[in-house]
C-alpha cells in the first residue's frame, strides 16, 4: 500500500464571479488528472467542521472516460482515521483503487489510483470518506465533493453553450445559535443570477 507522510500544501477556494460560489475545478489534461485532497478541520466554517483543501464542498474533479485519476489523500484530522470512496463510479475496488477498507491515519498520505474505463457512463458522481464508524460524522462535518465524468450531453452544442451551475447540497450544520442549516456550495440561501428567458443547466448533488 502506498502510504507516505504529509508534504502537501492546502489551497483556498477562488472568489465568486457573480455572487454564486462554486467549488474549485480540477480538470484532466491529456487523459490524466493528479490531485491532492487535504482533509483537515476547518474552524473558520464553524465548530466541528472539516474540509478538503479548505473548501466546502471539496474541489470538483472533471474527467473523461478512459482517463487516469490519481488522488493523494492527506489526513490532517488530528486523530480520526479516514479514507476515500468515489461514489457510483465504475472503477476497481482492489488494492489502491476504490478500496473502502484502507485506513489512512492522521499525518499520513495515501495515493489512490483510478483507471476510468473507456466506456464509463458520463454524469455526476461524488467522493467522500467511507471509513467504517467515521464516514457519517466526517461527511456531515463537510467532507465531500463532486466528480463530473464528461461526455454525452456535454458534447452537444445546444447544451455545451449553456451556463452550467453545480449545486452541492450538504447538511444539516448547526449555526452559532444551534439552528440546523442546509448549505448549497457551502452557502446559506445563495442567489443564482439568471436572465428572463435564459436557459441554464444545473447539476445538483444531494
Amino acid at each position: 500500500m502506498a502510504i507516505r507522510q504529509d508534504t502537501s500544501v492546502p489551497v483556498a477556494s477562488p472568489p465568486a464571479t457573480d455572487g454564486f460560489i462554486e467549488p474549485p475545478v480540477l480538470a484532466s489534461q491529456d487523459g490524466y488528472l493528479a490531485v491532492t485532497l487535504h482533509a483537515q478541520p476547518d474552524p473558520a466554517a464553524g465548530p466541528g467542521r472539516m474540509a478538503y483543501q479548505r473548501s466546502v464542498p471539496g474541489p470538483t474533479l472533471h474527467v473523461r472516460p478512459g482517463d487516469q485519476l490519481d488522488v493523494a489523500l492527506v489526513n490532517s484530522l488530528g486523530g480520526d482515521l479516514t479514507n476515500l470512496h468515489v461514489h457510483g463510479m465504475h472503477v476497481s475496488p482492489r488494492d489502491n483503487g476504490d478500496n473502502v477498507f484502507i485506513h489512512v491515519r492522521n499525518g499520513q498520505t495515501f495515493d489512490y489510483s483510478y483507471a476510468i474505463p473507456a466506456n464509463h457512463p458520463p454524469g455526476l458522481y461524488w467522493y467522500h470518506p467511507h471509513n467504517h464508524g467515521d464516514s457519517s460524522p466526517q461527511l456531515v462535518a463537510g467532507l465531500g465533493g463532486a466528480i463530473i465524468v464528461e461526455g454525452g450531453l456535454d458534447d452537444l452544442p445546444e447544451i455545451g453553450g449553456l451556463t452550467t451551475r453545480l449545486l452541492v447540497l450538504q447538511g444539516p450544520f448547526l449555526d452559532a445559535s444551534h439552528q440546523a442549516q442546509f448549505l448549497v456550495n457551502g452557502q446559506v440561501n445563495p442567489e443564482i443570477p439568471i436572465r428572463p428567458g435564459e436557459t441554464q443547466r444545473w447539476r445538483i448533488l444531494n
Side-chain angles (χ1 to χ4, degrees):
M1 295 295 181
I3 291 182
R4 55 187 169 83
Q5 290 305 115
D6 177 2
T7 58
S8 66
V9 177
V11 297
S13 300
T17 55
D18 58 11
F20 179 67
I21 299 173
E22 296 205 23
V25 174
L26 303 172
S28 64
Q29 293 185 344
D30 300 322
Y32 182 62
L33 176 59
V35 303
T36 296
L37 293 178
H38 195 130
Q40 57 191 325
D42 187 13
R49 295 287 294 278
M50 302 175 181
Y52 291 120
Q53 302 302 94
R54 295 184 177 168
S55 172
V56 177
T60 301
L61 310 182
H62 276 252
V63 294
R64 295 192 68 90
D67 282 356
Q68 175 68 34
L69 170 62
D70 290 340
V71 179
L73 176 65
V74 183
N75 183 353
S76 295
L77 295 176
D80 291 350
L81 298 175
T82 194
N83 61 12
L84 198 67
H85 173 46
V86 287
H87 198 116
M89 293 194 67
H90 299 195
V91 294
S92 173
R94 302 182 63 176
D95 301 324
N96 63 331
D98 192 33
N99 187 342
V100 297
F101 298 106
I102 291 168
H103 296 149
V104 185
R105 299 183 182 278
N106 183 59
Q108 292 182 330
T109 297
F110 187 85
D111 295 321
Y112 286 89
S113 184
Y114 308 100
I116 303 172
N119 62 350
H120 195 290
L124 177 60
Y125 303 87
W126 65 300
Y127 61 86
H128 63 88
H130 206 298
N131 186 62
H132 182 69
D134 294 310
S135 178
S136 180
Q138 291 178 8
L139 180 61
V140 171
L143 293 182
I147 302 174
I148 295 175
V149 180
E150 298 177 358
L153 291 176
D154 305 319
D155 297 330
L156 297 177
E158 297 83 359
I159 299 295
L162 297 177
T163 295
T164 300
R165 308 285 191 180
L166 172 65
L167 287 73
V168 180
L169 313 183
Q170 291 173 290
F173 300 106
L174 296 180
D175 63 14
S177 60
H178 301 284
Q179 299 297 310
Q181 296 178 332
F182 289 87
L183 305 183
V184 181
N185 293 354
Q187 304 163 83
V188 179
N189 299 327
E191 294 185 2
I192 301 176
I194 186 168
R195 300 185 305 274
E198 179 188 2
T199 299
Q200 294 187 1
R201 181 187 184 187
W202 289 14
R203 288 184 167 109
I204 302 176
L205 173 60
N206 182 8

